[in-house]
Amino acid sequence: MGRKVAVEDAELMDRLGRVFRDVGYEGASLTLLAEASGLKKASLYHRFPGGKEQMAREVLETAGAWLDKHILSPLKGGGAPKDRIDDMVRQLDAFYSGGKQACLLNMLSSARIHDGPFTDLIRQTFDAWIEALTAVLTDAGVNRTIARKRAERGVMMLQGSLVFSRGVGTTRPFRSFLKSLPGDLLGTA
Amino acid sequence: MGRKVAVEDAELMDRLGRVFRDVGYEGASLTLLAEASGLKKASLYHRFPGGKEQMAREVLETAGAWLDKHILSPLKGGGAPKDRIDDMVRQLDAFYSGGKQACLLNMLSSARIHDGPFTDLIRQTFDAWIEALTAVLTDAGVNRTIARKRAERGVMMLQGSLVFSRGVGTTRPFRSFLKSLPGDLLGTA
DNA sequence: GTCTATAGGAAGATAGAC
DNA sequence: GTCTATCTTCCTATAGAC
């Protein structure tokens, strides 16, 4: 087992992820990442030989895995569609810290990497999210075409509410969005 | 009158703005800004003694003025509410190049400036936008509380559709959003 | 007003001791 | 695995000629 580890992998990813979410890829300096992680630069390079780019990629992959486990899988799993959606809303609230944390998919999609290695990962994550939401809505009896439209709108509203919340300096828009999301998706608004 | 000017102010702001929209504040290096503007670094400093921060601020102010002139004023002006909204949609399509250009309000809101000088400007721009949209909807006979909710949703969807479009690498979400915006706002969807 | 040249510092990344 | 010290490159910004 790995001994002499100052920070566990999960905790490390979480701390690095916070930096990337706060200031984006270009804004996340090694100094900032080192401070946030509690490790020195050289130690970060020991864990991520590929440097900042690898850190961002692994953070993105970790977030994708989290999304899959805590959001997408529960959406596909059993139970009433309404309950599954309510569960997603609770998880989203926690994941984005009630609207205080921006979304990695937004903050990393402008990374000026030579033909971005993140591009594919970001697109796949969006696609998977849309697909899972579409599935739960068809389970609820919604026509597939309509379901997909509502799923896309939901994901866009999530992104927009986070951008808007950050822009106006309050989490109200995000919280308000989360509240209306189940109704918007199921068409019971 | 100003002679010997290599690039006119309006054109200069446009070119600098494109860089900030593409790669954000931290990603916009002076080298990149110089290449895009057609001026050398030193020339940029002659026009913007405050450096990159001043460039971003003036670009943001210029965009705010454009928004006010081409979007907000027409919204307030005469004519049927539906026509005013349709007009806004056309202007938005042009301003964001059909979804290919990101929004400054999103790309600059994470600028790691000492307690951001952009923060206030961004919030004010969002507020003015919401207010103008709310006004045109009340003109259309919509209850003010409902109008404000729809205005906020519209602005959030705009931001979200741009983020999503960039993420999935196609402008379809943005164009689709623009198409449905008038109906969503007026409640005739 | 624009340029070439360069200063000064912060950035990403590495070497080698412990 | 983590650290201090260092290297190189890029960045922001300035000096001074034209």
Side-chain angles (χ1 to χ4, degrees):
Chain A
M1 298 293 196
R3 239 172 309 161
K4 294 186 188 171
V5 179
V7 185
E8 293 300 327
D9 270 27
E11 176 67 18
L12 178 59
M13 287 301 172
D14 189 62
R15 294 186 191 179
L16 295 179
R18 278 197 146 70
V19 179
F20 284 115
R21 290 193 207 192
D22 281 348
V23 300
Y25 184 80
E26 321 285 342
S29 70
L30 271 277
T31 302
L32 219 50
L33 290 164
E35 284 173 0
S37 67
L39 291 178
K40 299 296 181 183
K41 294 184 200 177
S43 303
L44 283 176
Y45 274 95
H46 177 77
R47 293 213 191 179
F48 306 95
K52 198 166 85 163
E53 182 173 330
Q54 184 181 355
M55 294 182 214
R57 184 159 27 84
E58 289 199 20
V59 160
L60 197 53
E61 286 166 355
T62 301
W66 192 96
L67 181 80
D68 197 56
K69 181 178 179 184
H70 292 88
I71 309 266
L72 306 191
S73 289
L75 272 183
K76 293 171 194 160
K82 172 80 167 100
D83 292 340
R84 289 186 249 162
I85 290 175
D86 285 345
D87 200 50
M88 174 184 75
V89 165
R90 274 188 292 273
Q91 297 287 354
L92 286 178
D93 196 19
F95 189 57
Y96 293 106
S97 302
K100 285 195 282 284
Q101 290 255 314
C103 185
L104 272 178
L105 300 178
N106 178 21
M107 301 304 286
L108 289 184
S109 64
S110 68
R112 237 164 25 75
I113 309 291
H114 337 294
D115 203 27
F118 308 143
T119 310
D120 287 342
L121 200 47
I122 289 173
R123 184 175 38 71
Q124 286 164 21
T125 305
F126 269 124
D127 286 344
W129 203 337
I130 300 283
E131 184 49 39
L133 264 177
T134 303
V136 72
L137 291 185
T138 57
D139 278 6
V142 180
N143 166 286
R144 178 157 184 97
T145 306
I146 308 256
R148 189 162 190 94
K149 256 198 159 69
R150 288 200 196 143
E152 284 189 3
R153 281 181 66 94
V155 170
M156 285 194 269
M157 275 295 294
L158 168 64
Q159 296 297 327
S161 73
L162 287 170
V163 170
F164 186 61
S165 289
R166 193 170 44 146
V168 297
T170 158
T171 61
R172 184 192 55 78
F174 174 76
R175 289 182 285 109
S176 172
F177 153 72
L178 275 190
K179 213 169 168 183
S180 68
L181 181 58
D184 289 345
L185 288 173
L186 292 165
T188 59
Chain B
M1 296 296 188
R3 239 172 308 161
K4 293 186 190 172
V5 179
V7 185
E8 293 301 326
D9 271 26
E11 176 67 19
L12 179 58
M13 286 303 172
D14 189 62
R15 295 186 192 178
L16 294 179
R18 279 197 145 70
V19 179
F20 284 115
R21 289 193 207 192
D22 281 348
V23 301
Y25 184 80
E26 321 285 346
S29 71
L30 279 246
T31 301
L32 220 49
L33 291 164
E35 285 174 358
S37 66
L39 291 178
K40 298 295 181 183
K41 295 182 197 177
S43 304
L44 283 176
Y45 274 97
H46 176 76
R47 294 215 191 178
F48 306 94
K52 196 166 87 164
E53 182 173 330
Q54 185 182 353
M55 296 182 213
R57 185 158 27 81
E58 290 198 21
V59 160
L60 197 52
E61 286 165 354
T62 301
W66 192 97
L67 182 79
D68 198 54
K69 181 179 179 184
H70 293 88
I71 308 266
L72 306 193
S73 290
L75 272 183
K76 293 171 194 161
K82 171 81 168 98
D83 292 340
R84 291 186 248 162
I85 291 176
D86 286 344
D87 200 50
M88 174 184 76
V89 165
R90 274 187 292 273
Q91 297 287 355
L92 287 178
D93 196 18
F95 189 57
Y96 293 106
S97 302
K100 286 195 281 283
Q101 289 255 314
C103 185
L104 271 176
L105 300 177
N106 178 21
M107 299 306 285
L108 289 183
S109 65
S110 68
R112 239 163 24 76
I113 308 292
H114 339 293
D115 203 26
F118 308 143
T119 310
D120 287 342
L121 200 47
I122 289 173
R123 185 174 37 71
Q124 286 164 21
T125 304
F126 269 124
D127 286 344
W129 203 337
I130 300 282
E131 184 48 39
L133 265 176
T134 303
V136 72
L137 291 185
T138 57
D139 278 5
V142 179
N143 166 286
R144 179 160 183 93
T145 307
I146 307 255
R148 189 165 191 91
K149 256 198 159 67
R150 288 199 196 143
E152 284 190 2
R153 281 181 66 94
V155 171
M156 284 194 270
M157 275 295 293
L158 168 65
Q159 296 297 326
S161 73
L162 287 170
V163 170
F164 187 60
S165 289
R166 193 170 43 146
V168 297
T170 159
T171 60
R172 183 192 57 77
F174 174 76
R175 290 182 284 109
S176 171
F177 154 72
L178 276 190
K179 212 169 168 182
S180 68
L181 181 58
D184 289 345
L185 288 173
L186 291 165
T188 60

